[in-house]
Amino acid sequence: MSVQEYLDKHLLSRKIEDAVNAAVRAKTSDPVLFISNHMRKAVQSVITKVKARQILDSRGIPTVEVDLYTNKGMFRASVPSGDSTGMYEAVELRDGDKGSYLGNSVIKAVKNINEKISEALIGMDPTLQSQIDQAMTDLDKTEKKAELGANAILAVSIAACKAGAAEKEVPLYKHIATLSGKTSPILPVPAFTVISGGKHAGNNLAIQEIMILPVGASRFEEALQMGSETYHHLKAVIIEKYGAHGCNVGEDGGFAPNLSSFKEALDLVKEAISRTGYNDKIKIALDVAATNFCIGTRYDLDFKSPQKSGQNFKSADDMIEMYRELCTEYPIVSIEDPFDKEDWEHIKYFSSLGICQVTGGDFLMSNAKRIERAINESACNALLLKVNQVGTVTEVIEVVKQAKEAHWGVVTSHRCGETQDSFIADLSVGLAVGQIKAGGPCRGERLAKYNQLLRIEEELGDQAIYAGEDWRQ
């Protein structure tokens, strides 16, 4: 084939002429670079390769990472993993071989991506997120993604979302906003973990997390500063009372002194906030994770102290009275999972009191059917969104719409096993959820999310809107 025949077959002469004319009109000083970029934009991007591997999360436990290639570049995503899993959430596929990472390896999930998902997606347009996600769901054929693994499917879904944003030449959060039909991205109020307990720390505190929300900040940048300053004042308070050994941190980055009661922990936080001078600008949130210490119909607040276990039982009614008292004494505006995940009666009653935002984490497991039931029965009034409990970006968008239509709050959440992937930061802004829970203002895998929010706010400039006092949106 001659050069001219080759040019004619692929219509290259016209395309090259168009590129040269564009370069002339632009009066570019580097015509070769300009023409190269112009030609690249003229080519519709498709998925050309999907490659997965096993990496380690922030706890040193295996998880899935994916590199998705298009003719525009390579886009990487990795998925988090939680400590608590439930029957209502998408299935995280692990190998179960006790001789490899104590049974936690994810080689099967990686193999499913490299051999099955990759073959199904090659040639697809990365901007068509719902079609990509549907193709993987159809390939799996199970309700909870048990065949391929939600960890496999989600990693590819997030990578495809990043590739779609690149193809459209827009920031990831704007691409997500377009996918969801949102028009105004909003910077969320961060819920910084400052004290860790429960399963996330080796102290005696029953509840899992105490968080601070800088709702009085005017910008996200100011909120991050407030969170960091309060965190360091808290460190000083803890050292004064318990010594330096009290400043060890839990898996989410919160301090983990050996506390004996909820009030003792909250007093430390209250003192730290007071020292910052941000008293009226910072509120408090609790993640009780009550299922972890529910025995039958009673709650063992000393479940982590073998010598005391069973001596400090509370009924659900006792817990309600305790929450009433705590919300009166401290500026608590949100309580996550105040009761066992199957205790619909008491969570409905507690929500009806209107004392604070009642967030469903373990209670809802980001499951659309559970959310629908909770909406219909007025059980809780906020969703804790954990993307790996859902399994695809498309379904995540749908459950957020479901919660928003019910006028619920939405809290985008990290997991205790995190990675450096900052996807949930862009997701929070694009979906305008108003709240993000990503751990303490320390540890790289937590700060990856907060620092990305700083970049987004900077990029938005005068158009940046911080949720602030409207954190429940």
Side-chain angles (χ1 to χ4, degrees):
M1 183 183 293
S2 69
V3 172
Q4 189 59 51
E5 288 173 334
Y6 186 82
L7 291 172
D8 292 342
K9 178 181 178 180
H10 297 285
L11 306 176
L12 289 176
S13 296
R14 179 59 183 273
K15 292 175 182 175
I16 292 171
E17 183 181 349
D18 288 344
V20 171
N21 287 334
V24 172
R25 288 193 300 272
K27 299 179 181 180
T28 177
S29 60
D30 191 340
V32 174
L33 179 60
F34 183 94
I35 290 169
S36 172
N37 289 334
H38 185 91
M39 295 293 284
R40 285 184 68 202
K41 291 177 182 178
V43 178
Q44 181 179 359
S45 185
V46 296
I47 296 172
T48 58
K49 180 181 176 182
V50 184
K51 172 67 177 174
R53 66 184 62 85
Q54 175 175 274
I55 63 169
L56 298 185
D57 69 19
S58 59
R59 304 165 301 172
I61 294 175
T63 190
V64 178
E65 181 177 79
V66 165
D67 293 343
L68 185 145
Y69 295 80
T70 71
N71 18 11
K72 296 292 174 70
M74 184 272 283
F75 306 92
R76 177 170 291 162
S78 54
V79 294
S81 179
D83 199 23
S84 58
T85 56
M87 62 182 290
Y88 302 103
E89 66 183 81
V91 175
E92 180 182 69
L93 185 62
R94 294 196 180 272
D95 300 339
D97 176 7
K98 295 298 182 182
S100 178
Y101 287 102
L102 308 178
N104 290 314
S105 58
V106 291
I107 300 303
K108 290 178 183 176
V110 167
K111 187 176 180 181
N112 285 339
I113 294 171
N114 291 337
E115 295 182 2
K116 297 178 181 179
I117 293 176
S118 176
E119 182 180 349
L121 299 190
I122 286 176
M124 293 190 72
D125 181 345
T127 65
L128 303 178
Q129 186 72 41
S130 62
Q131 292 185 24
I132 291 169
D133 290 341
Q134 190 62 53
M136 291 190 285
T137 302
D138 291 344
L139 187 64
D140 182 272
K141 296 185 178 69
T142 67
E143 183 183 357
K144 294 187 287 187
K145 304 175 178 62
E147 180 67 26
L148 299 176
N151 43 350
I153 292 173
L154 179 62
V156 177
S157 182
I158 292 174
C161 192
K162 294 177 180 181
E167 173 62 18
K168 290 183 176 179
E169 297 186 336
V170 298
L172 180 56
Y173 64 89
K174 286 188 178 179
H175 178 50
I176 293 170
T178 300
L179 291 174
S180 68
K182 288 285 182 184
T183 56
S184 300
I186 294 175
L187 276 297
V189 171
F192 297 109
T193 304
V194 291
I195 289 185
S196 294
K199 286 187 173 182
H200 291 184
N203 55 11
N204 290 331
L205 186 64
I207 62 171
Q208 196 155 275
E209 293 174 83
I210 297 178
M211 296 161 279
I212 55 170
L213 283 71
V215 298
S218 59
R219 294 171 49 82
F220 179 81
E221 182 180 18
E222 183 185 5
L224 186 59
Q225 179 179 338
M226 288 181 176
S228 176
E229 290 176 359
T230 305
Y231 186 83
H232 288 285
H233 275 292
L234 178 59
K235 182 178 181 178
V237 172
I238 291 171
I239 290 174
E240 290 169 14
K241 187 165 184 178
Y242 303 97
H245 66 276
C247 290
N248 292 330
V249 299
E251 290 179 341
D252 296 335
F255 294 115
N258 208 9
L259 304 159
S260 59
S261 70
F262 291 16
K263 283 192 172 185
E264 185 179 355
L266 287 164
D267 283 339
L268 295 175
V269 176
K270 191 174 181 180
E271 172 61 22
I273 294 172
S274 176
R275 292 189 185 188
T276 65
Y278 298 133
N279 292 319
D280 297 330
K281 295 184 176 183
I282 294 179
K283 303 300 181 182
I284 295 175
L286 306 179
D287 175 6
V288 180
T291 297
N292 291 338
F293 54 93
C294 180
I295 301 173
T297 59
R298 299 186 299 170
Y299 296 87
D300 184 1
L301 300 189
D302 286 327
F303 82 107
K304 295 171 70 177
S305 305
Q307 72 277 14
K308 294 183 180 178
S309 185
Q311 298 179 30
N312 191 13
F313 275 125
K314 287 189 180 293
S315 67
D317 290 337
D318 293 334
M319 296 290 281
I320 289 173
E321 288 308 308
M322 180 182 70
Y323 296 142
R324 281 180 185 268
E325 184 179 335
L326 292 177
C327 289
T328 299
E329 192 169 341
Y330 305 93
I332 296 170
V333 294
S334 180
I335 299 180
E336 177 186 334
D337 292 330
F339 306 98
D340 178 69
K341 62 185 178 184
E342 297 300 341
D343 189 351
W344 288 78
E345 176 189 350
H346 288 96
I347 198 166
K348 283 194 288 185
Y349 175 68
F350 184 59
S351 298
S352 73
L353 298 177
I355 295 172
C356 64
Q357 173 178 268
V358 181
T359 307
D362 294 338
F363 178 64
L364 296 173
M365 286 172 260
S366 303
N367 178 281
K369 292 180 180 177
R370 295 275 290 190
I371 296 168
E372 182 180 10
R373 179 183 170 186
I375 290 170
N376 291 337
E377 298 186 20
S378 299
C380 74
N381 52 36
L383 164 67
L384 189 80
L385 177 68
K386 296 177 178 177
V387 294
N388 74 313
Q389 291 183 327
V390 185
T392 66
V393 172
T394 301
E395 290 167 291
V396 164
I397 291 171
E398 289 306 311
V399 297
V400 169
K401 285 182 179 178
Q402 185 182 12
K404 288 284 189 179
E405 286 171 1
H407 306 291
W408 278 17
V410 178
V411 188
T412 304
S413 177
H414 65 161
R415 302 305 308 268
C416 65
E418 263 298 337
T419 73
Q420 292 284 345
D421 197 317
S422 61
F423 177 75
I424 64 168
D426 285 83
L427 183 75
S428 298
V429 176
L431 298 184
V433 298
Q435 304 170 65
I436 186 171
K437 172 183 173 182
C442 76
R443 297 185 55 142
E445 75 280 359
R446 315 293 158 181
L447 286 169
K449 285 71 169 170
Y450 297 133
N451 288 337
Q452 175 63 4
L453 288 167
L454 278 179
R455 299 181 195 105
I456 293 171
E457 184 171 63
E458 179 184 87
E459 183 175 286
L460 285 168
D462 293 340
Q463 302 301 311
I465 300 172
Y466 174 63
E469 298 286 353
D470 297 323
W471 54 279
R472 292 202 73 242
Q473 292 302 311

